[in-house]
Amino acid sequence: MTTRITAPIEHCFNLARSIDLHLETMEHTGEKAIAGITSGLIGLGETVTWKARHFGVLMTLTSEITECSFPVLFSDEMVQGPFKSMKHYHVFEQKEGFTMMTDEFFYEAPLGLLGRLADYLFLEKYMLRLIMHRNSIIKQKAESTT
């Protein structure tokens, strides 16, 4: 997924790794940062544990920043949580007059065949909507504060 943002690359990069902004974008899930880095900017080797309600179920997910190259790339990877695996790449490119923010999100649902069925029926669409919602707020915040 790509998002065109009329703001400097450094600003977009920092907004995307802001714990505080993440909490704002996921407010509708009741998400809280409960361990690790719980506010400010997260960086390489740091972890955050999130607690949120999805599909009516309270879930906990811990992710670690496994790559960070300011201001062009960072990736977070699930260390513990509801997925079998999950990795999210955040890539930033400075273009003429704007920043292109690209999300590459890879995950594998748990529970084998049942998880693949859930993914097909609703999980993939749900995850896509979460990322789209989050990116729209990052874009709005970046463009209104530059």
Side-chain angles (χ1 to χ4, degrees):
M1 175 183 309
T2 59
T3 306
R4 180 184 168 130
I5 305 172
T6 308
I9 191 171
E10 299 84 2
H11 189 51
C12 298
F13 186 87
N14 284 336
L15 286 172
R17 65 191 183 105
S18 166
I19 300 295
D20 304 305
L21 185 59
H22 181 93
L23 291 169
E24 186 179 324
T25 65
M26 295 295 129
E27 191 174 50
H28 64 285
T29 67
E31 191 150 338
K32 306 266 186 261
I34 60 169
I37 304 301
T38 58
S39 66
L41 300 178
I42 193 164
L44 183 63
E46 295 179 324
T47 64
V48 59
T49 300
W50 306 102
K51 184 177 270 190
R53 188 168 302 280
H54 298 278
F55 310 111
V57 178
L58 197 56
M59 298 182 189
T60 303
L61 182 142
T62 301
S63 63
E64 178 182 358
I65 302 300
T66 55
E67 297 174 78
C68 189
S69 181
F70 184 84
V72 295
L73 165 77
F74 75 94
S75 65
D76 57 278
E77 193 165 348
M78 186 188 77
V79 175
Q80 185 175 23
F83 295 101
K84 185 172 181 181
S85 66
M86 185 211 75
K87 188 157 187 164
H88 187 174
Y89 293 94
H90 310 258
V91 182
F92 302 82
E93 286 181 85
Q94 185 70 64
K95 303 286 189 175
E96 194 163 321
F98 67 94
T99 298
M100 186 62 73
M101 181 174 73
T102 303
D103 287 85
E104 297 177 18
F105 186 75
F106 303 93
Y107 69 94
E108 191 174 348
L111 306 174
L113 182 59
L114 184 59
R116 287 192 298 277
L117 180 61
D119 189 42
Y120 174 77
L121 293 175
F122 60 86
L123 183 58
E124 182 178 0
K125 293 175 193 84
Y126 182 79
M127 297 307 297
L128 183 59
R129 279 194 310 271
L130 281 179
I131 294 169
M132 287 173 63
H133 173 73
R134 177 173 153 64
N135 287 358
S136 71
I137 294 176
I138 290 171
K139 176 180 172 67
Q140 178 185 39
K141 189 75 74 175
E143 292 178 347
S144 68
T145 58
T146 56

